[in-house]
Structures are given as C-alpha cells and as structure tokens.
Amino acid sequence: MKTKIIQFTAARGPIECTWVVAKVLKIFLKELMSNQITYQILHKENGIENGTVQSVTIDIKGVGLSEVLDDWIGTIQWIGTSSFRKYNKRKNWYIGCFELKHFEQKELKENEIQFQAIRSSGAGGQHVNKVSSAIRAKHKPTGIQVLVMDSRSQHQNKKIAVVRLREKIKNNNVLEMQESLKDSWENHLNLQRGNPIRTFTGSDFKEKKQDKSYKTKRNQLKNELRKQIE
C-alpha cells in the first residue's frame, strides 16, 4: 500500500484563491473516500476569511494513488466572479497541487530500544548510589535517548523510560515534519498559471470537462497512422 504527501496551495494568490483551495479540498477528500483511500491532514493554514484555506498538506494512503493523483497534480483553475471584491473584473483564479517528498514518521518499537542500567546520582542516600536502578534507554534507529532515575525500582524506571522515549520521538517527528514543510514553501513561488489539469466554474463550483492533452496527442497519432496505411 503506497503513501504520498500532497499539498494544495493558493501560493501568493489573492483571497479568492484561498477560497478555491477550500472548495477543491472538499472535492479531493470526497474523491479519496470514494476510492477507499485513507488520509490524514498534516498541516493546514487557514486564510484570512472564514471558510478559506491558504494551504493544506495531506498524507494519503491506499491502492491506485498514482491513477487518482494524475487528475490532480498541477495547476487547478476556477472561472468565476469574486464574492469578496464586488467590482473586481478578474474571472480566472489559479491554485496549485503538488506532491511533496514523503516524510516517514518514526514509531517506537520496544525491540529497537537499548536499555542500560546505571547507578543513580543525586539525593537518596547510600542506597541510591550503590544500586544500579537508573535506566538509560536509547532508540537505536534514531539515536534518541532518555535517562530515568525517578524511582529506586529499576523495573519502574524502565517503564517510565519507554513512555518518555515515545514522547521524545513523537516531538522529533513534529520537528522534522515542520522542516519538511518549510521546503514546500517553494511551491508558493513556483505556481504556473495556465494549462490547468482541472477547471471548475461558477459559484456552484462545477467541473468543466476538458480534453486531456495526452488524449489529443493519441488521436493525432491515430490519424497519422491511418493516413500512412491509406
């Protein structure tokens, strides 16, 4: 089962584009569900008006992702009149859909933890200093580690270490994801306006059917082949 990360963005477009992102997002998520593809919204930045979205990043998982995304990756156009600026004459608005580099969230598996019992230090008297009750736990795949000396029980410290290590790995995942999302800001600068992959029209946001370029090219090749045969 494949996993991909997709981002919809209004880029540096005006408020109308953030409204388009919100509308497209609903259609996209509905299409995912109809194709039995699961999703998780990783990051969402709302626009300045209610019901608008500046950008959204989604982790999707399922079978046949490439076929579904073929109709989404690229520039998306909406043809319509702005409801935010009454006298604005512009009719064409564009947003972008991009595939981001996949970010693999790391999970804690107890068989990947290296435990080391060491002597506790600090307050507690002679018993603390002589007994190796403290636990150092290290997650071998990431190198993340914690030191626990809360209890005089080695077993209890081990349980606490697993909990804290899991939380530390979770926080590290968030930091790495944020770094990954910073790189995606290039998409806000590189949106190509024109040659849309999908086009929607009007306030009801109906899709405008259009011939795909590859279909046109295929028909041209067929016509050329017929002429050669004749």
Side-chain angles (χ1 to χ4, degrees):
M1 188 174 292
K2 290 186 177 181
T3 301
K4 291 181 180 289
I5 296 180
I6 303 303
Q7 182 187 63
F8 289 95
T9 175
R12 294 182 294 179
I15 189 172
E16 290 81 4
C17 294
T18 64
W19 179 79
V20 176
V21 172
K23 298 290 284 187
V24 166
L25 177 60
K26 291 180 180 179
I27 295 172
F28 179 70
L29 296 183
K30 186 176 180 180
E31 187 169 319
L32 291 183
M33 289 187 287
S34 67
N35 285 279
Q36 297 183 328
I37 295 173
T38 60
Y39 69 89
Q40 177 185 2
I41 294 180
L42 300 176
H43 177 78
K44 184 179 178 184
E45 182 179 349
N46 292 326
I48 59 175
E49 292 286 344
N50 290 335
T52 64
V53 177
Q54 178 65 43
S55 68
V56 59
T57 306
I58 313 163
D59 184 286
I60 60 177
K61 183 183 297 183
V63 178
L65 291 186
S66 298
E67 289 78 4
V68 173
L69 294 179
D70 278 347
D71 290 330
W72 287 101
I73 302 295
T75 299
I76 298 171
Q77 179 186 27
W78 175 61
I79 303 173
T81 303
S82 171
S83 60
F84 299 97
R85 296 180 290 174
K86 185 176 180 181
Y87 299 105
N88 192 302
K89 296 181 179 180
R90 181 174 166 180
K91 301 292 184 181
N92 295 293
W93 315 91
Y94 299 94
I95 68 168
C97 178
F98 301 90
E99 181 178 350
L100 303 185
K101 182 179 178 181
H102 184 258
F103 167 74
E104 184 178 356
Q105 293 201 17
K106 300 172 183 68
E107 296 182 0
L108 181 65
K109 298 177 182 178
E110 293 200 26
N111 61 354
E112 295 177 339
I113 303 175
Q114 178 182 333
F115 294 102
Q116 180 185 4
I118 60 175
R119 288 188 178 183
S120 298
S121 61
Q126 292 182 349
H127 178 74
V128 171
N129 293 325
K130 289 181 180 179
V131 179
S132 298
S133 58
I135 292 293
R136 177 179 282 117
K138 179 181 179 181
H139 184 230
K140 290 182 283 186
T142 61
I144 296 173
Q145 55 184 317
V146 294
L147 176 62
V148 179
M149 54 182 73
D150 296 40
S151 171
R152 290 185 177 183
S153 165
Q154 187 181 110
H155 178 71
Q156 186 63 24
N157 282 336
K158 205 175 212 181
K159 290 173 64 177
I160 297 171
V162 172
V163 173
R164 290 184 182 170
L165 196 57
R166 181 174 284 111
E167 187 64 26
K168 205 167 183 179
I169 290 172
K170 182 179 178 181
N171 291 337
N172 188 68
N173 282 336
V174 172
L175 291 174
E176 288 191 8
M177 186 187 73
Q178 289 173 346
E179 287 298 318
S180 176
L181 291 177
K182 284 181 183 178
D183 296 337
S184 73
W185 276 100
E186 290 186 10
N187 294 335
H188 295 261
L189 306 176
N190 297 329
L191 175 59
Q192 300 296 319
R193 290 166 174 80
N195 193 26
I197 189 76
R198 292 180 90 151
T199 299
F200 298 89
T201 61
S203 58
D204 53 358
F205 221 78
K206 288 186 177 179
E207 184 168 11
K208 181 181 179 182
K209 299 299 181 182
Q210 53 189 349
D211 291 332
K212 302 293 183 183
S213 59
Y214 71 87
K215 289 183 179 179
T216 303
K217 190 173 182 179
R218 186 174 62 184
N219 289 333
Q220 289 175 349
L221 291 173
K222 283 183 178 179
N223 291 332
E224 290 176 4
L225 183 61
R226 286 197 194 97
K227 290 179 182 180
Q228 290 177 5
I229 293 174
E230 292 172 356

